Amino acid sequence: MSETLAWAPVATVDDLWEGEVAEFYVGDQPILLAHLRTGEIRAYEGTCPHAGFPLGDGEVVDDVLTCSAHSWEFDLTTGNGVNPPGCRLRSYPVRRDGDQIAVLLNGENT
């Protein structure tokens, strides 16, 4: 059985200021949107790979997100772990259609 891919609307550009992150939901799946200082928007799974804590509560400094639960750090431009370096956030493709921000999820997640 093949996976179905679907673009899911998540937010609008007005919902997310440059330099901020915010948590949104597609169904029951948390999605972390990051509006980078370069103007790009990135989407990641909304929970920390360490302990499943919501990443939307974290602090962002220079496009590095620090999880508020245990201080793990992630580079929001790549999703790679900064501290510890061996971890990575699950990312999703993002597209903008006017002011609408959508992410590409497989059909099982929508």
Side-chain angles (χ1 to χ4, degrees):
M1 178 183 236
S2 65
E3 289 185 355
T4 303
L5 300 178
W7 285 100
V10 177
T12 67
V13 176
D14 291 336
D15 294 329
L16 190 65
W17 292 90
E18 189 173 296
E20 290 185 337
V21 296
E23 182 180 67
F24 299 92
Y25 282 84
V26 176
D28 62 354
Q29 182 170 350
I31 303 293
L32 180 80
L33 290 183
H35 194 163
L36 304 178
R37 294 174 299 151
T38 61
E40 294 178 78
I41 297 174
R42 302 291 167 105
Y44 299 102
E45 188 170 341
T47 55
C48 182
H50 172 226
F53 198 81
L55 290 171
D57 296 335
E59 180 181 345
V60 178
V61 176
D62 295 331
D63 291 335
V64 173
L65 171 68
T66 301
C67 177
S68 62
H70 300 104
S71 299
W72 280 31
E73 297 174 322
F74 302 94
D75 180 342
L76 292 173
T77 64
T78 64
N80 291 333
V82 174
N83 184 20
C87 62
R88 180 171 176 76
L89 297 176
R90 179 179 178 194
S91 64
Y92 300 103
V94 176
R95 76 173 181 194
R96 284 181 56 180
D97 184 14
D99 287 342
Q100 185 68 51
I101 302 166
V103 296
L104 185 63
L105 303 171
N106 70 35
E108 295 173 4
N109 293 332
T110 59

